[in-house]
Amino acid sequence: MSAVLDLARVSVALPLGGFLSRARLPILMDVSLSVGRGESVALVGESGSGKTTLARAVMGLQAVSGGSIALDGQAVEGAAGHARLRRAAAMMFQDATASLSPRLTVGYLVTEPFRIHGVALPDPEGMARELLAKVGLPPAMARRYPHELSGGQARRVGVARALALKPRLVIADEPTAGLDVSVQAEVLNLMADLRAEMGLAYLIITHNLALVRHVADRVVVLYLGRVVEKGPTAQVFAAPAHPYTASLIAAEPRPDPRQRRMDLAIRGEVPSVLRRPSGCEFHTRCPMAREVCRVTAPDLAPVGAGRQARCHFADQRKDQQGEQHAVEHR
């Protein structure tokens, strides 16, 4: 599958002590991932793991300090490169209502990308109605203002605006945040229908593992700005190779609380990026840490076809989790 988006060892470091300071604080470190044509990739991890920072870096809203970004095999460099990327990619922001200017009508907002990119529209009102119809909103919605929308309607307007220039890639930051369960299902079904109709590729940022199971072909797990595991969603959920991934899955809410694996529960708080632990950065919270984990940082290594994990004992964990998964589903 050819890649629409390809990140190679992307790093982001922010000034420490003010914008004039030379000291830098690493937020993202050597992140590599790809999104194929028509593919849905989920980026998961706790708050503070760097998910939104990565999305902002892809869109050129945050400067990268290392690595490379490529769109359709061509490097994204400088203002011209990011202008090309923003024409081919669109972003759905986490707070859909806050991303809409309260002074502009919905019709103006959904056609705003055309104005930004200098695309003349012979019939802006007709285009607004067409975009709203694509996401299941009535034409009358074009005359409303953002404060008159429900959360689900604001989310659909955000989708319509993202689709205006017919992008090949959509970056969706928590696309179901703050929505009722029924509305979440509507938004996810809409995204799935648009993916099938338009051949869209998605990079979905989320905490919601149920959403990941439902919509993602592959999953990438971030911890303290590093990729700790990635691979096909079904395989990762069936047999997680990294203890952090296993802990996230074990903490997922289930109807029967007796099925939760409390032995895999994550202990403590996420360490500060100002004081990164030595060795494996997860060892301070890992229920299975050994001495080598405290001393030596593991590499992101293959653990099967299309899968990688950053753990000294990834192969052993994958086998153990696979056996446990089989027992639980007998």
Side-chain angles (χ1 to χ4, degrees):
M1 182 184 298
S2 59
V4 175
L5 179 70
D6 190 25
L7 309 184
R9 302 182 66 86
V10 168
S11 298
V12 171
L14 302 180
L16 182 61
F19 285 101
L20 299 179
S21 173
R22 293 186 177 182
R24 298 282 167 173
L25 179 65
I27 303 298
L28 293 175
M29 303 178 71
D30 296 333
V31 176
S32 297
L33 63 86
S34 64
V35 183
R37 295 182 183 278
E39 185 182 31
S40 179
V41 175
L43 190 64
V44 304
E46 294 170 286
S47 296
S49 60
K51 304 185 299 298
T52 298
T53 299
L54 182 62
R56 291 173 58 84
V58 171
M59 297 300 293
L61 303 177
Q62 174 64 59
V64 300
S65 54
S68 62
I69 301 173
L71 177 72
D72 293 327
Q74 297 183 14
V76 175
E77 298 176 342
H82 280 104
R84 179 172 61 89
L85 187 146
R86 288 173 185 159
R87 180 68 182 267
M91 188 163 179
M92 294 166 51
F93 294 92
Q94 181 171 345
D95 190 334
T97 302
S99 70
L100 305 175
S101 173
R103 297 181 296 178
L104 302 175
T105 65
V106 167
Y108 188 97
L109 287 166
V110 297
T111 55
E112 193 173 29
F114 295 101
R115 300 180 182 90
I116 292 173
H117 289 274
V119 179
L121 288 176
D123 183 11
E125 294 183 1
M127 177 57 71
R129 291 193 296 269
E130 181 181 331
L131 289 170
L132 292 175
K134 189 178 289 291
V135 297
L137 292 176
M141 194 69 66
R143 297 190 295 272
R144 294 189 184 181
Y145 286 85
H147 73 273
E148 299 178 284
L149 306 178
S150 68
Q153 289 171 338
R155 184 70 64 183
R156 287 175 180 265
V157 170
V159 175
R161 185 170 61 173
L163 298 178
L165 296 175
K166 298 182 179 180
R168 297 189 293 280
L169 170 70
V170 172
I171 300 176
D173 191 356
E174 296 288 359
T176 59
L179 301 178
D180 294 338
V181 174
S182 60
V183 181
Q184 288 184 24
E186 291 177 2
V187 172
L188 292 180
N189 289 334
L190 171 63
M191 291 175 64
D193 292 342
L194 293 172
R195 176 186 174 190
E197 177 186 342
M198 302 177 64
L200 291 174
Y202 286 116
L203 178 60
I204 300 175
I205 298 167
T206 184
H207 294 91
N208 189 338
L209 296 185
L211 183 155
V212 175
R213 291 177 188 268
H214 182 65
V215 304
D217 301 308
R218 290 188 297 117
V219 60
V220 179
V221 185
L222 279 185
Y223 183 74
L224 283 184
R226 293 185 192 271
V227 175
V228 295
E229 183 166 0
K230 58 183 177 179
T233 301
Q235 296 180 28
V236 170
F237 274 80
H242 195 283
Y244 178 60
T245 309
S247 296
L248 290 178
I249 295 172
E252 184 181 6
R254 298 184 182 181
D256 184 354
R258 293 172 297 180
Q259 293 184 2
R260 296 183 64 178
R261 295 287 307 282
M262 297 310 297
D263 57 314
L264 296 176
I266 304 177
R267 301 176 300 187
E269 299 293 330
V270 180
S272 169
V273 291
L274 292 168
R275 298 179 180 274
R276 290 178 177 270
S278 61
C280 174
E281 293 173 334
F282 186 61
H283 85 261
T284 57
R285 308 173 70 199
C286 181
M288 303 171 187
R290 304 179 191 176
E291 185 59 30
V292 65
C293 305
R294 299 178 178 89
V295 178
T296 306
D299 296 323
L300 188 64
V303 288
R307 294 191 59 184
Q308 291 179 295
R310 193 183 300 275
C311 179
H312 292 295
F313 310 103
D315 287 320
Q316 298 177 27
R317 282 207 48 78
K318 185 164 67 70
D319 294 341
Q320 293 171 1
Q321 292 297 319
E323 294 174 2
Q324 178 65 34
H325 181 80
V327 170
E328 290 178 349
H329 288 77
R330 281 178 183 171

